[in-house]
Amino acid sequence: DAGVIQSPRHEVTEMGQEVTLRCKPISGHDYLFWYRQTMMRGLELLIYFNNNVPIDDSGMPEDRFSAKMPNASFSTLKIQPSEPRDSAVYFCASRTGTRGYTFGSGTRLTVV
Amino acid sequence: QKEVEQDPGPLSVPEGAIVSLNCTYSNSAFQYFMWYRQYSRKGPELLMYTYSSGNKEDGRFTAQVDKSSKYISLFIRDSQPSDSATYLCAMSGGGGSYIPTFGRGTSLIVHP
């Protein structure tokens, strides 16, 4: 099993540009989560999906953030327009059942 | 008061020491307790998973839950430099989607 795969690993973009982060969950996992991690705030849940359906997006900070899961093997997190305060590490994680998550290696986003 | 409190450290110990990492929480509905280990520039990985109170042992690692005190611990015996990482506690309630609440993590440094 290749685990949760995220791309790109690093992204540097200019303020105002659109950023798209990608995630491939583990096959058979029915939950997918997007988290953001910063030194100041730790891990923050942004949104999660169950069977490709968004369940709770209350953690999405602003309308500039959107997420989709068009099928069971792919999800995107989009920021448009990006701002310097969006700089963070973004993690995707997937899960089945009630046990813990499997996290991807993250996308380190820097907005300059 | 945050729902889950965790001392960020860093905690620096010599190789071979017994390490104790702790979290306190305020939500008495939490029933599932987890510890994640996160190496630098990697995603968190599930280390220990316990349900309700009691102890669970896995090799050099022991997870302890005291629900009456709302206190959980992770003990690492014979610590190794390879244990140097950030350790995040996480906990969730029963029912629903079992979405965990994470602590901010404790940075552990084991020096040779």
Side-chain angles (χ1 to χ4, degrees):
Chain A
D1 192 338
V4 176
I5 300 172
Q6 290 187 246
S7 64
R9 289 297 309 274
H10 304 274
E11 177 82 32
V12 180
T13 191
E14 291 186 348
M15 183 173 65
Q17 295 299 303
E18 177 179 294
V19 175
T20 300
L21 312 181
R22 297 173 176 80
C23 175
K24 177 179 167 55
I26 291 174
S27 177
H29 282 194
D30 53 352
Y31 281 88
L32 183 139
F33 305 82
W34 282 101
Y35 280 86
R36 177 171 69 176
Q37 187 177 42
T38 60
M39 290 290 290
M40 291 296 294
R41 301 172 70 90
L43 266 175
E44 300 176 277
L45 177 63
L46 300 177
I47 184 171
Y48 76 93
F49 297 81
N50 178 217
N51 292 321
N52 313 338
V53 176
I55 303 301
D56 185 352
D57 66 355
S58 59
M60 298 283 260
E62 299 171 34
D63 291 345
R64 299 183 296 106
F65 287 69
S66 63
K68 294 181 180 179
M69 191 166 186
N71 57 62
S73 59
F74 184 67
S75 177
T76 59
L77 177 68
K78 187 175 292 187
I79 308 172
Q80 166 63 20
S82 57
E83 297 183 4
R85 60 196 167 116
D86 301 330
S87 298
V89 182
Y90 290 80
F91 287 105
C92 175
S94 69
R95 187 193 84 193
T96 187
T98 61
R99 295 187 66 87
Y101 299 157
T102 300
F103 282 84
S105 295
T107 295
R108 185 171 297 272
L109 174 64
T110 304
V111 183
V112 298
Chain B
Q1 180 190 13
K2 294 181 77 113
E3 230 178 349
V4 178
E5 299 276 3
Q6 187 174 12
D7 187 334
L11 177 63
S12 182
V13 302
E15 183 176 355
I18 297 175
V19 175
S20 173
L21 303 166
N22 311 293
C23 287
T24 59
Y25 63 95
S26 57
N27 188 343
S28 57
F30 287 145
Q31 296 183 51
Y32 298 87
F33 302 91
M34 293 146 276
W35 286 95
Y36 285 81
R37 178 176 61 196
Q38 184 175 19
Y39 290 115
S40 179
R41 298 188 178 270
K42 297 286 188 182
E45 58 176 327
L46 183 64
L47 195 59
M48 299 286 281
Y49 180 95
T50 55
Y51 171 71
S52 196
S53 286
N55 292 359
K56 183 175 182 179
E57 189 173 317
D58 184 0
R60 296 185 295 110
F61 298 89
T62 299
Q64 196 171 76
V65 175
D66 182 349
K67 290 186 70 179
S68 62
S69 301
K70 297 190 179 68
Y71 189 88
I72 70 170
S73 300
L74 177 70
F75 298 97
I76 307 174
R77 291 184 299 280
D78 187 25
S79 56
Q80 303 294 310
S82 58
D83 295 327
S84 299
T86 296
Y87 291 80
L88 298 94
C89 62
M91 46 201 79
S92 65
S97 54
Y98 303 89
I99 304 300
T101 300
F102 282 86
R104 289 186 52 190
T106 298
S107 175
L108 172 67
I109 301 167
V110 182
H111 50 88

